Amino acid sequence: MTVPDITIAIDGYSSTGKSSFAKLLARRFSFQYLDSGAYYRGVTLYAQQNGLISEDNTVSDALEAALADGTLQIVTDGDAIRSMKVSSQVSPIAALPYVRSFVDRRLHSDAASGRVVMDGRDIGTTVFPNAELKLFMVASDEVRARRRYNELLAKGQTPVFEEVLANLRERDYIDSHREASPLTQAPDAFVLDNSSMTLEEELIWVEGLIRGKFGILE
Ligand code: DC
């Protein structure tokens, strides 16, 4: 299927499988993939490594200064940004308006062409409000926690299911109640509930959507 040069914005709660799905779409349609959550995780890791965030999540003003000129290099891939330590402090960091504007600037400069699929919490509402296709992904809490738990197990960590579930619910709460671009469904987003769908079924669903929306006949 030939997909036109569009931007695809994928938002949704934690562990709804946004990244796996976005990566699959990028591969299938030859799009650039950008994981906006990785940028917030990178800023959090930077803050932790430089002693700028305390146990009770108080953030030093030095973080704002470090991000001010926009040139700071942050890690946006690898295992370090996916640890429980980063996961447990990323939401308060992502709630800071100066962190959000740093990440937004980075995302816009890294999104090289129109053929982009980006996933996060505010892509269809704030980062790319004019994206031609917006998806909002949801799945039950238990299904999401089980996925995250299995991911951590596979990485050799020793997660406790109840803790994973609690962390996920806490992040959802902070992400959807913060003042600066909270997680909300864009009015023109299509909802994808993948609680009991495989990735292949999700792909068939979105291909149907794209065909209908952009009048593709093949
Ligand atoms: O998708 P993720 O779990 O890797 O995202 C990490 C955190 O970053 C998540 O708790 C919320 C935040 N985030 C955000 O506020 N806005 C985005 N566009 C993407 C992520």
Side-chain angles (χ1 to χ4, degrees):
M1 189 170 93
T2 312
V3 177
D5 292 353
I6 58 170
T7 296
I8 304 177
I10 304 184
D11 291 303
Y13 296 97
S14 307
S15 298
T16 43
K18 297 184 298 291
S19 304
S20 310
F21 189 49
K23 274 184 211 151
L24 178 70
L25 296 187
R27 266 201 315 274
R28 189 62 64 103
F29 304 145
S30 300
F31 272 40
Q32 178 189 10
Y33 166 59
L34 286 175
D35 169 4
S36 67
Y39 290 63
Y40 290 101
R41 289 174 177 275
V43 173
T44 306
L45 183 66
Y46 172 85
Q48 289 173 342
Q49 287 175 337
N50 289 278
L52 304 180
I53 176 163
S54 61
E55 285 290 310
D56 68 353
N57 294 342
T58 308
V59 183
S60 157
D61 291 345
L63 182 63
E64 184 167 9
L67 301 183
D69 72 359
T71 60
L72 182 81
Q73 290 308 313
I74 51 159
V75 176
T76 54
D77 54 17
D79 283 346
I81 58 165
R82 313 257 162 226
S83 70
M84 274 301 272
K85 182 161 187 243
V86 169
S87 296
S88 68
Q89 291 191 311
V90 62
S91 283
I93 291 277
L96 298 168
Y98 63 82
V99 172
R100 302 207 70 81
S101 58
F102 170 83
V103 170
D104 286 0
R105 270 181 284 149
R106 272 296 157 85
L107 291 172
H108 277 277
S109 68
D110 289 354
S113 72
R115 298 179 74 78
V116 175
V117 50
M118 189 180 295
D119 77 311
R121 304 294 189 288
D122 64 339
I123 309 307
T125 51
T126 305
V127 183
F128 284 115
N130 298 323
E132 291 85 352
L133 181 65
K134 299 180 186 177
L135 307 179
F136 192 79
M137 293 181 62
V138 298
S140 76
D141 292 3
E142 281 70 22
V143 165
R144 294 186 294 129
R146 182 62 58 194
R147 287 179 187 153
R148 184 89 194 104
Y149 174 86
N150 288 337
E151 266 169 33
L152 292 168
L153 264 191
K155 282 183 188 152
Q157 300 185 22
T158 46
V160 176
F161 181 77
E162 284 67 29
E163 280 176 18
V164 174
L165 181 63
N167 171 259
L168 191 128
R169 286 182 170 150
E170 190 191 339
R171 283 202 289 149
D172 286 348
Y173 185 86
I174 300 174
D175 294 344
S176 44
H177 288 83
R178 67 178 174 230
E179 256 178 56
S181 34
L183 165 65
T184 46
Q185 184 189 327
D188 51 347
F190 294 91
V191 176
L192 170 56
D193 182 341
N194 67 4
S195 300
S196 52
M197 281 170 94
T198 63
L199 261 180
E200 204 49 40
E201 287 167 340
E202 292 177 54
L203 183 66
I204 292 167
W205 176 85
V206 84
E207 284 183 342
L209 195 63
I210 292 174
R211 276 200 191 90
K213 195 168 160 59
F214 299 100
I216 298 166
L217 299 175
E218 345 116 58

